[in-house]
């Protein structure tokens, strides 16, 4: 049995070779036996294979004795919300997010939407799948659950509706599921939505929804400019990540969105903790401290961020990869809450998104994440550490290698999923220095890899 679809944080693989209804049914059984769940939320994305896989998964859950609450076609955050809101024992989302259209997968959570990863049950579920199963003495029940109305009410609770003003916003769902939520939110908001690739379509006629790829950004950017919109928003397929474009159609690096959201959220909540990843940090730290908050670094990855948020009772957490986490959203990531908060900020301030972001780019220019394929990543990172340690202000290993000097810093880390290293460089108000050091580090990595 091919179980290569089991990854560190979720399941992902091609259909039907690595993931199919037969395996999905076994996964449902194993999930119940390993977690002891009695009531499980099940949702699925717009991929063509998702309904069949979700049905088989549900059959396995019920055969093992768990009741299934089917919330149907949705985004990953629906499962997070429903599991927490309705106090289920766990939830499973059938999705492959931004992976190729012939792929599928699953994201699993336990009580209170706590993530299930290789550290706390996913490997045990994988191993249990290999063994024979017997049906539970009492089969679980199946029922459908309507979540949208409660979910929309929850989203609207993050913003002050009275502060909102008419505004044009381009929204690009990438033919994923985000358009369904926008249609519901539209009924409650004074915004005019310019809808691009809006209809859910598992054939992905405009390419797999993954706005992190530059070639997938043009449609949003051009629509913003054509319609004179205040901003553009694009999502991946299961819309747990959202990406922003300013009124000029410029793509905004996720790093600067983290700082802006932290500032906006702390203005609403008062002093509190904010969790951020260690790749680029100075802008976030500056804004959080100015707003009376406390900025705390965490290792990159949703399982690490969510646990650290619980440990610190943080109000917000952000990764430059466009994952944004909220305490009142069961410490989970949402692709809808961030754009609502930024739209609110534009309405309240009367400023453009570019003016809000440009000041931060000038203060802390950054390289953005640069990936390089390296034969021996550990060796290269160790050599970089040795070379750059001399004269460093601080060295950190929270996630990879971070070395800080007075006016610039960098983070170099190995990918969890690919044979690449990822480099991020930033400076204090010195674009030329940032560019010089980025070039220098890349050349050194290339030399070491030769």
């Amino acid at each position: 049995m091919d179980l290569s679809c089991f990854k560190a944080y979720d399941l992902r693989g091609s259909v039907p070779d690595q993931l199919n209804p037969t395996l999905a049914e076994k996964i449902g059984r194993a999930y119940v036996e390993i977690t002891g769940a009695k009531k499980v939320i099940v949702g699925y994305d717009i991929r063509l294979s998702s309904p069949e896989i979700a049905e088989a998964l549900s059959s396995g859950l019920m055969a093992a004795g768990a009741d299934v609450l089917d919330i149907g076609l949705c985004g990953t955050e629906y499962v997070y919300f429903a599991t927490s809101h309705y106090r289920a024992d766990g939830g499973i989302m059938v999705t492959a997010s931004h992976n190729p259209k012939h792929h599928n997968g699953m994201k699993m959570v336990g009580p209170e939407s706590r993530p299930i990863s290789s550290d706390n049950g996913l490997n045990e579920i994988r191993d249990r799948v290999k063994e024979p199963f017997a049906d539970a003495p009492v089969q679980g029940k199946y029922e459908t659950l309507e979540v949208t109305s409660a979910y929309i009410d929850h989203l609207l609770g993050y913003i002050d509706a009275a502060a909102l003003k008419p505004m044009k916003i381009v929204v690009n769902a990438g033919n994923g599921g985000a358009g369904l939520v926008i249609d519901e939110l539209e009924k409650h908001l004074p915004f005019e939505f310019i809808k691009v690739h809006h209809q859910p379509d598992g054939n992905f006629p405009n390419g797999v929804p993954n706005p992190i790829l530059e070639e997938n950004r043009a449609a949003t950017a051009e629509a913003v400019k054509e319609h004179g919109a205040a901003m553009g928003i694009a999502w991946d397929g299961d819309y747990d990540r959202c990406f922003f474009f300013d009124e000029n159609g410029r793509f905004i690096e996720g790093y600067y969105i983290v700082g802006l959201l932290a500032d906006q959220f702390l203005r609403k909540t008062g002093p509190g903790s904010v969790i951020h990843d260690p790749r680029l940090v100075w802008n976030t730290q500056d804004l959080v401290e100015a707003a009376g908050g406390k900025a705390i670094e965490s290792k990159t990855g949703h399982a690490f961020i969510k646990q650290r948020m619980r440990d610190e009772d943080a109000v917000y957490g952000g990764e430059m990869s466009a994952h944004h986490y909220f305490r009142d959203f069961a410490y989970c990531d949402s692709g809808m809450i961030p754009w609502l908060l930024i739209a609110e900020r534009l309405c309240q301030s009367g400023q453009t998104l570019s003016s809000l972001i440009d000041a931060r780019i000038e203060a802390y220019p950054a390289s953005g994440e640069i990936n390089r394929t390296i034969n021996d990543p550990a060796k290269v990172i160790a050599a970089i550490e040795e070379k750059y340690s001399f004269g460093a202000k601080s060295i950190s290993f929270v996630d990879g290698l971070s070395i800080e000097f007075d006016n610039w810093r960098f983070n170099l880390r190995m990918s969890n999923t690919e044979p690449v290293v990822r480099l991020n460089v930033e400076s204090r108000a010195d674009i030329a220095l940032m560019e010089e050091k980025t070039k220098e580090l890349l050349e050194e990595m290339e030399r070491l890899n030769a």
Side-chain angles (χ1 to χ4, degrees), residues 72-292:
L73 176 64
C74 63
T76 297
E77 63 193 71
Y78 262 69
V79 170
Y80 297 156
F81 172 77
T83 302
S84 172
H85 186 75
Y86 295 103
R87 294 182 171 82
D89 301 311
I92 305 176
M93 176 69 181
V94 176
T95 180
S97 185
H98 58 277
N99 286 65
K101 70 177 182 180
H102 61 281
H103 283 222
N104 217 321
M106 297 181 193
K107 294 178 180 178
M108 299 181 177
V109 295
E112 300 175 337
S113 294
R114 292 174 181 266
I116 294 176
S117 65
S118 57
D119 293 331
N120 66 340
L122 193 58
N123 288 346
E124 288 78 5
I125 292 170
R126 177 199 62 201
D127 295 341
R128 180 65 187 89
V129 163
K130 302 173 188 175
E131 306 299 328
F133 290 96
D135 288 350
V138 179
Q139 300 285 291
K141 299 184 301 240
Y142 171 89
E143 63 179 289
T144 58
L145 179 65
E146 194 281 313
V147 175
T148 298
S149 56
Y151 165 72
I152 295 295
D153 286 346
H154 184 84
L155 293 183
L156 294 171
Y158 286 87
I159 54 174
D160 176 9
L164 303 182
K165 301 168 184 174
M167 183 167 60
K168 279 187 184 179
I169 301 175
V170 168
V171 288
N172 185 346
N175 301 114
L180 299 171
V181 182
I182 293 299
D183 290 343
E184 289 297 323
L185 286 169
E186 188 174 25
K187 302 170 186 175
H188 307 276
L189 301 170
F191 306 141
E192 177 186 347
F193 292 105
I194 311 300
K195 300 173 181 179
V196 178
H197 304 160
H198 192 69
Q199 294 304 316
D201 187 341
N203 289 301
F204 298 137
N206 297 290
V208 175
N210 185 11
I212 205 73
L213 302 175
E214 286 192 30
E215 59 267 28
N216 289 351
R217 299 175 188 170
T220 309
E222 289 165 8
V224 168
K225 290 183 281 188
E226 178 187 347
H227 294 277
M231 68 173 171
I233 312 152
W235 294 269
D236 56 2
D238 62 336
Y239 56 93
D240 60 350
R241 295 184 300 159
C242 64
F243 302 82
F244 291 85
F245 299 74
D246 70 14
E247 75 281 4
N248 301 308
R250 175 184 55 167
F251 179 81
I252 306 298
E253 287 290 344
Y255 172 41
Y256 300 106
I257 297 297
V258 172
L260 182 56
L261 283 170
D263 179 53
Q264 179 69 354
F265 216 75
L266 290 172
R267 286 169 183 246
K268 299 167 79 69
T269 64
S273 296
V274 169
I275 308 299
H276 62 89
D277 65 86
R279 289 172 280 187
L280 295 166
V281 304
W282 280 344
N283 180 61
T284 304
Q285 291 171 349
D286 186 21
L287 285 167
V288 169
E289 287 162 15

Side-chain angles (χ1 to χ4, degrees), residues 13-93:
S14 61
V15 177
D17 297 333
Q18 294 171 296
L19 183 62
N20 51 55
T22 301
L23 178 56
E25 196 265 351
K26 292 178 183 289
I27 289 170
R29 290 172 176 266
Y31 176 93
V32 175
E33 290 194 12
I34 296 300
T35 67
K38 300 297 184 185
K39 184 167 68 172
V40 182
I41 301 289
V42 174
Y44 57 87
D45 73 7
I46 47 80
R47 289 168 185 271
L48 302 180
S49 60
S50 290
E52 185 180 19
I53 289 175
E55 183 179 357
L57 171 70
S58 297
S59 295
L61 293 166
M62 291 186 290
D67 293 339
V68 169
L69 298 175
D70 181 355
I71 63 174
L73 176 64
C74 63
T76 297
E77 63 193 71
Y78 262 69
V79 170
Y80 297 156
F81 172 77
T83 302
S84 172
H85 186 75
Y86 295 103
R87 294 182 171 82
D89 301 311
I92 305 176
M93 176 69 181

